[in-house]
Amino acid sequence: MEALRADMFEEICPSTVLPFRIGTDKWAGMILRCLENGPRRYSELRVPLARISPKMLTQSLRALERDGFVTRTAYERAVSYELTALGRSLLEPVRALCEWAAEHFDELLDARES
């Protein structure tokens, strides 16, 4: 499996201005995208999600696990996270939201500033 890129998400990511969330978490969509190609260890997720504090990433992962979108597997020296079937079913809607956000990003920023 290919490593996650540090530049996977733009520095000014629309997730911070979108009026909708997955649950109550603005980072959930980004986490789901990181897990779409298979299970990842926490340290792997930190690479593209470096702007999220470790505490917030842990809270987001726990919320996704609680809501049934992600499973957590603990090994002797590592922990990995993987999408469930329910989490996988969100990938297409998340992709559509990303496209919508890219198309309307300037309008969202203008609305927030006014």
Side-chain angles (χ1 to χ4, degrees):
M1 183 178 347
E2 191 174 316
L4 296 174
R5 297 181 339 269
D7 65 348
M8 185 173 171
F9 302 107
E10 293 183 31
E11 189 172 329
I12 301 175
C13 180
S15 70
T16 59
V17 296
L18 288 177
F20 33 79
R21 307 270 192 261
I22 297 171
T24 58
D25 194 331
K26 70 180 179 183
W27 305 110
M30 294 169 72
I31 294 169
L32 293 175
R33 294 289 304 269
C34 289
L35 295 173
E36 74 179 308
N37 291 323
R40 298 289 181 168
R41 292 181 17 206
Y42 181 88
S43 59
E44 292 177 279
L45 295 171
R46 291 284 305 137
V47 173
L49 302 172
R51 291 179 315 188
I52 305 172
S53 72
K55 179 181 176 181
M56 189 71 232
L57 179 55
T58 298
Q59 288 176 351
S60 296
L61 286 164
R62 285 182 182 156
L64 288 167
E65 183 182 10
R66 180 194 65 232
D67 293 339
F69 299 123
V70 170
T71 58
R72 178 184 185 272
T73 305
Y75 301 99
E76 189 173 315
R77 297 177 188 246
V79 172
S80 70
Y81 297 90
E82 185 173 12
L83 292 177
T84 63
L86 184 62
R88 222 160 250 303
S89 73
L90 273 175
L91 290 175
E92 193 54 42
V94 166
R95 238 180 245 107
L97 290 174
C98 289
E99 290 171 12
W100 181 89
E103 187 177 324
H104 297 284
F105 189 64
D106 291 336
E107 295 168 74
L108 287 166
L109 287 178
D110 290 345
R112 289 279 166 100
E113 289 176 3
S114 61

